Structures are given as C-alpha cells and as structure tokens.
C-alpha cells in the first residue's frame, strides 16, 4: 500500500478543490454530490463515527455536522491527506472528540476489533483497495447492532464506467493508478452475505468516459444538470448498509 500513500500524498494539495463549487469539472460535480448524499444519509444517525478514509476531510466534516455525532475515529493512509483533514475538523467541528489513525484500511479495521460504531464511512475507498468481500466482512465486525455503513462505488452496470474500466485494463501504463470497479448487484449480494441489510441506494452521475479531457467545462454543465436525475442509471452509487439490531 506504500504506492497508494505516495499517490494520495501527491494529490493532497489539490484534492480539496474537487469540493469547491468554483471547480468546473464533471469529476468535481460528482465529488460534491457524493458529499451531499453522505450528509443526507447521515441525518438521524447516532455515533460514534468511524471514517475509514478521510481524504482532506470535507465529507467527514459534512457528515459530523449533519448527524450531530460528537465522537469520531478518523483514518487515512496518506499523512498529507490526514493533516488537511485534521486542520479542517479543528476549524469546522472543534467540539467533536477525534481519535486519529494513519493506516492501511485493513490493518486499521483489524486494530479496532472489539469496538463498534454507529455510523461507518467507506467513501472513495473501495475502488482503490479492492477486496470487497474482505472489506465488507471487516466493516461488519466494527458496526454496532442497528448501525449503518455508507459505501460508495462506481458501478459496472453503467456503460461509461464499464468502458473506462476496460480502457484502463487494456493500457495500464497510461494511468498513474488503476482502480477496481464492481457491479452494484454483486456488491449488494456480498454485503448481504456479510450480514448487512441493504437499506438505501442512491445512484447519480452521467459519467461520460474521460469527458473532463475531451469536453472540458461542458462536462461540468452536463453533470450539474443531469447527474441527480439518474436514480436508477447513474454511474456512481452510495449504498447504505445496516447491521441488524
């Protein structure tokens, strides 16, 4: 996982711009929608919160604000990402008690054995680490009875996501980091086999292949206008999983 840490360390300085409304790309539109969906699904949830991969902390902050949860355990593999997140939470939600970790997600979840959390965030992570079945089993062990996991993924049922996945597989040398994609149906079945109930699925995103490269600002307009109008066909999904009480 050292290559992943280096990859995200390099990305950390500009990563937060993806949540800035002034950033006019389709990718940024999708990141902002992910944040909105996560905050919406977090309302009414009780803690403590477990954040598996915080990035620069925008989603973590939004979820803490929306839920009112007062305790959080926050992890990221990248020290640079984690430093940005720490500064953001210190400014934005200073009353929250935060325990910080800097680990590979599988090591992190293993070190939490015996602890349980009311809300677990696993957003923007699965594509980078793969091993969905093992990840879901680890998430199940740290989710409290009645607690929820928010899991995000790009889904291979979407033709644009499927085309990008095939291109990246065919020419891996042209891309700095290869991600792993899954079918939504497969993820839901794996989750149920791991002991979760799938309670809500929010799909969104036009996800035209490589459109930020060839369409520029037009792709931002396309996603801003249409991404939320695809509840059954979108290329991105946030899945709410619940551990039965």
């Amino acid at each position: 996982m050292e290559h992943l840490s280096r990859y995200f360390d390099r990305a950390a300085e500009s990563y937060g711009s993806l949540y800035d409304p002034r950033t006019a790309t389709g990718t940024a539109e999708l990141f902002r929608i992910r944040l909105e969906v996560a905050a919406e699904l977090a309302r009414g949830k009780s803690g403590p919160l477990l954040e598996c991969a915080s990035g620069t902390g925008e989603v973590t902050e939004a979820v803490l604000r929306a839920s009112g949860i007062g305790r959080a355990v926050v992890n990221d593999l990248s020290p640079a990402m984690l430093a940005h997140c720490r500064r953001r939470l210190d400014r934005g939600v200073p009353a929250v008690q935060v325990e910080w970790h800097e680990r590979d997600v599988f090591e992190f979840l293993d070190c939490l054995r015996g602890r349980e959390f009311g809300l677990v965030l696993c957003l923007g992570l699965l594509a980078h680490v793969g091993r969905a079945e093992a990840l879901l089993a680890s998430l199940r062990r740290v989710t409290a009875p009645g607690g929820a996991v928010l899991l995000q993924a790009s889904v291979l049922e979407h033709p644009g996501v499927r085309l990008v996945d095939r291109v990246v597989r065919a020419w891996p040398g042209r891309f700095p980091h290869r991600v792993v994609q899954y079918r939504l149906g497969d993820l839901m079945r794996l989750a149920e086999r791991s002991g979760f109930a799938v309670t809500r699925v929010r799909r969104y995103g036009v996800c035209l292949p490589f459109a930020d490269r060839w369409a520029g600002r037009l792709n931002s307009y396309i996603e801003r206008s249409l991404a939320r109008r695809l509840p059954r066909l979108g290329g991105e999904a946030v899945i709410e999983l619940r551990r039965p009480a």
Side-chain angles (χ1 to χ4, degrees):
M1 290 292 177
E2 188 176 339
H3 70 287
L4 262 183
S5 179
R6 291 196 302 269
Y7 174 81
F8 283 110
D9 277 346
R10 290 192 297 270
E13 201 58 41
S14 61
Y15 192 83
S17 68
L18 293 168
Y19 298 98
D20 188 330
R22 295 170 296 182
T23 303
T25 66
T27 299
E29 293 292 341
L30 295 177
F31 269 65
R32 292 190 286 264
I33 294 171
R34 181 196 301 176
L35 182 151
E36 292 169 11
V37 171
E40 179 187 341
L41 294 179
R43 291 191 182 97
K45 300 292 194 299
S46 57
L49 171 72
L50 177 63
E51 168 64 273
C52 293
S54 67
T56 45
E58 286 81 0
V59 175
T60 316
E61 179 185 4
V63 164
L64 287 168
R65 287 179 176 275
S67 65
I69 291 172
R71 289 188 297 137
V73 175
V74 177
N75 178 68
D76 201 276
L77 179 66
S78 159
M81 289 283 192
L82 207 60
H84 280 280
C85 181
R86 186 188 291 264
R87 289 193 292 272
R88 173 170 290 277
L89 296 193
D90 285 347
R91 291 193 309 266
V93 281
V96 176
Q97 297 177 1
V98 182
E99 176 186 323
W100 299 94
H101 291 259
E102 182 189 309
R103 292 178 180 238
D104 162 78
V105 68
F106 292 101
E107 294 176 359
F108 170 60
L109 293 171
D110 193 55
C111 86
L112 295 174
R113 283 177 181 268
R115 300 174 66 179
E116 294 181 332
F117 298 83
L119 178 59
V120 180
L121 300 184
C122 190
L123 307 166
L125 174 66
L126 179 60
H128 298 290
V129 300
R131 298 173 59 191
E133 187 169 10
L135 181 61
L136 285 162
S138 295
L139 292 172
R140 169 63 172 72
R141 285 193 294 269
V142 299
T143 305
V149 174
L150 302 184
L151 177 71
Q152 178 270 334
S154 301
V155 295
L156 284 171
E157 285 90 340
H158 185 280
V161 174
R162 190 161 60 248
L163 177 59
V164 170
D165 183 66
R166 288 178 178 174
V167 169
V168 172
R169 285 172 181 267
W171 291 286
R174 296 192 177 188
F175 302 91
H177 170 58
R178 185 189 154 223
V179 297
V180 183
Q181 312 291 16
Y182 292 89
R183 290 187 176 276
L184 177 60
D186 291 341
L187 284 177
M188 293 167 67
R189 283 187 288 274
L190 285 173
E192 289 168 350
R193 286 210 299 267
S194 299
F196 286 110
V198 179
T199 49
R200 285 188 283 187
V201 178
R202 296 292 177 84
R203 288 183 68 171
Y204 56 89
V206 180
C207 299
L208 297 174
F210 307 108
D212 279 337
R213 299 185 184 187
W214 57 263
R217 295 176 69 92
L218 175 61
N219 192 43
S220 176
Y221 174 78
I222 291 169
E223 293 291 4
R224 186 166 61 253
S225 303
L226 300 175
R228 294 172 178 82
R229 301 183 184 182
L230 300 169
R232 298 177 185 272
L233 301 173
E236 297 282 319
V238 176
I239 311 162
E240 182 185 83
L241 309 174
R242 188 170 295 277
R243 177 180 169 181

